[in-house]
Amino acid sequence: MARHDIQSFWLRETMHLDISESSPMGERFSLNNAVDPDVGVNSLKDYHLSSSEHFAIEIQTGRDGSKFADLILKKTLDREAQAVHRLVLTAVDGGVPARSGTANIVVRVLDVNDKAPSFDKDNYKIELMENSPIGSLVLKMNATDRDEEPLDREKVPEYDITFTVTDRGSPPLSDNETMTLELLDVNDNVPQFPQSFYTIRVMENNAPGALLDSLTAYDPDLHENQYLVYFIIEREIANTSMSMLFSINPENGKLYALKTFDHEIEKEFLFHIEARDSGVPPLSSNVTVHIIIVDQNDNTPVIVSPWRAHGSVVEEKIPRSTDKGCLVSKVIAIDGDSVLNSRITYQFLQVTDATLFSLDQYNGEIRTMRMFSYRDPRLQRLVVVAKDNGEPALSATVTIKLSTVETAVKAYSDMTEVPLEYDIFSDLNLYLVIGLGSVSFLLLITILVTIVLKCQKPKSSKAAPPCRNSVVSERNSFADSTLVSNDAYWYSMFLAETRKGKLVVRQPAPKGSRYIVSSLPRSTGLTETSGSAPSTLQYLSESLKPSHGHRVEGHHVFPMNSAISLRSLLAVKDIVSAAGGVHHQQ
């Protein structure tokens, strides 16, 4: 933010203006004299003029925000009534607190020959003695003119005066003499421009030094009083002096451009030109010049969407199931020229199938006109041209290659420019699936191994208690290695007991010709070691002699001829242990 530390001041503490009393009401005179080094809100903001019935001020604002004042004549002047007007102009800046500066304005009213001469008397009566000598004073007349100059050289540069003398004789005699009166010029006319405000239109991209216009003023005085000098009243716009941008020939008032202007950067300029004569004292007047930089169609449209590298082709994908009227793509172009020249229209330059896509000429939207059929090619090539409204028109093109895919593609949104294809089996997803599957498989193997190891833990070596469900089978003679009879019945009972969770085992009983057939629960671990086989069996009293086919404690008692060899039962036991979870330790 600019610091409000410097008071506004004036280039001249007193400004002198020479204004003809014949100037019409409404004529303006530039007062471009105030300067404020501050910027922004602290710069010059307003002007105030002391009270006057003849003058007022009008504040003008330039394109850069600077303000300057013009003095306006609101009532005609009369030099004979008031020859000099003294005014005070105050400039106020926008700082807090506001600071101000004052300047004096001295207006000298220039005379015009608007008053007729008048004598001090309307009628004179003279009595003259006859025989008065020649040269005698007859009458002294007094005529006055309220104007400064009784004669106006600019209107009548010379007069022919004829003097006639007539006597009163009879007949009267007369004689005459003609005298030419040439009026000398005085610097009493200010330079005058044909108009008080000039608007000059300059086409951008002009050549430096190009002639813009001729601002010629006219001064009716003679000699040095009419010799005019032109110059630009200095002022700055964006830290650039007007004399760096424009030049005027001091002798003939021809205005030139010193640089090439760009409408996109500089659109207008406002300044004053003064014409001053060489009289003593010099008289001057000024005119306001408004330079307008006219836009030229010198900017080619630039396509900003869909974005692509310079010279490349835009590739997009859409599903073949796209409905009619769906937005496929949108072309957006911008133009740096003025509003008229930058108006963009769009149209197809090339299209694979004109019946498949439509293009809005104003907003650049590309939509489907129908659904895709199996006859439509998979690749569609669209060339869109964006054309401005200049003369001649400039344009830019973009090529869009559309690929129709069968897989699911994210719907094209009006808010996005590039359709995205959704692939569930992308490389990243595939790696994630493999990783998760591997971890899960290893976890499952670990759990299974842990369960197996727990189940294989050996039970206590404590001898199994005698089983209540022991069956004693008598036989008179035994065959240790064969099944003698009732094999089918025995095998059925073996399977039935096994399904109940029990294991059937046969062992020879000591001191007798009996065999004990034991039915043990599966949960009871059966351990058989060398020399200790009888210790795991239950011995029944020899007094117990059940008859063939009777049931003892819910189990069958088989005769000896239906016995199985010990090795055979142990082999069956091993198979059952492996299948059903009963573990046998050799």
Side-chain angles (χ1 to χ4, degrees), residues 202 206-213 255-259:
V202 180
N206 59 288
L211 176 64
L212 304 183
D213 204 345
L255 183 66
Y256 299 89
L258 296 181
K259 60 167 287 187

Side-chain angles (χ1 to χ4, degrees), residues 242-254:
M242 285 295 100
S243 60
M244 300 296 293
L245 302 176
F246 304 96
S247 173
I248 190 168
N249 189 313
E251 296 181 355
N252 55 29
K254 291 184 177 181

Side-chain angles (χ1 to χ4, degrees), residues 10-52:
W10 297 89
L11 295 177
R12 293 171 290 177
E13 293 183 359
T14 302
M15 292 179 283
H16 294 274
L17 294 178
D18 294 326
I19 302 176
S20 173
E21 63 176 338
S22 63
S23 299
M25 290 188 300
E27 187 168 354
R28 62 180 62 229
F29 308 91
S30 176
L31 300 176
N32 190 28
N33 189 38
V35 175
D36 191 342
D38 289 332
V39 295
V41 296
N42 295 331
S43 61
L44 278 174
K45 182 179 180 182
D46 204 358
Y47 290 88
H48 302 286
L49 184 68
S50 59
S51 177
S52 172

Side-chain angles (χ1 to χ4, degrees), residues 237-351:
I237 296 179
N239 298 325
T240 302
S241 172
M242 285 295 100
S243 60
M244 300 296 293
L245 302 176
F246 304 96
S247 173
I248 190 168
N249 189 313
E251 296 181 355
N252 55 29
K254 291 184 177 181
L255 183 66
Y256 299 89
L258 296 181
K259 60 167 287 187
T260 300
F261 296 108
D262 187 350
H263 172 81
E264 285 70 42
I265 300 176
E266 303 149 323
K267 292 182 172 54
E268 63 178 2
F269 300 95
L270 194 67
F271 56 93
H272 294 84
I273 290 178
E274 182 174 310
R276 181 182 301 171
D277 64 24
S278 301
V280 179
L283 302 179
S284 64
S285 63
N286 57 65
V287 66
T288 302
V289 178
H290 184 203
I291 303 292
I292 299 176
I293 307 301
V294 180
D295 181 52
Q296 191 178 42
N297 191 30
D298 56 346
N299 288 282
T300 302
V302 177
I303 295 177
V304 297
S305 177
W307 183 90
R308 84 274 190 237
H310 180 69
S312 64
V313 176
V314 178
E315 296 184 358
E316 297 181 354
K317 295 181 179 180
I318 58 173
R320 291 189 69 87
S321 59
T322 301
D323 293 332
K324 174 184 177 182
C326 286
L327 181 66
V328 174
S329 184
K330 184 173 183 178
V331 180
I332 301 176
I334 59 175
D335 193 308
D337 291 320
S338 66
V339 176
L340 182 63
N341 290 331
S342 64
R343 188 177 303 161
I344 303 293
T345 56
Y346 305 89
Q347 65 185 43
F348 280 131
L349 192 61
Q350 296 178 13
V351 59

Side-chain angles (χ1 to χ4, degrees), residues 392-411:
L394 301 177
S395 62
T397 60
V398 60
T399 301
I400 303 175
K401 285 187 177 179
L402 294 177
S403 300
T404 58
V405 294
E406 300 293 344
T407 56
V409 178
K410 284 188 177 180

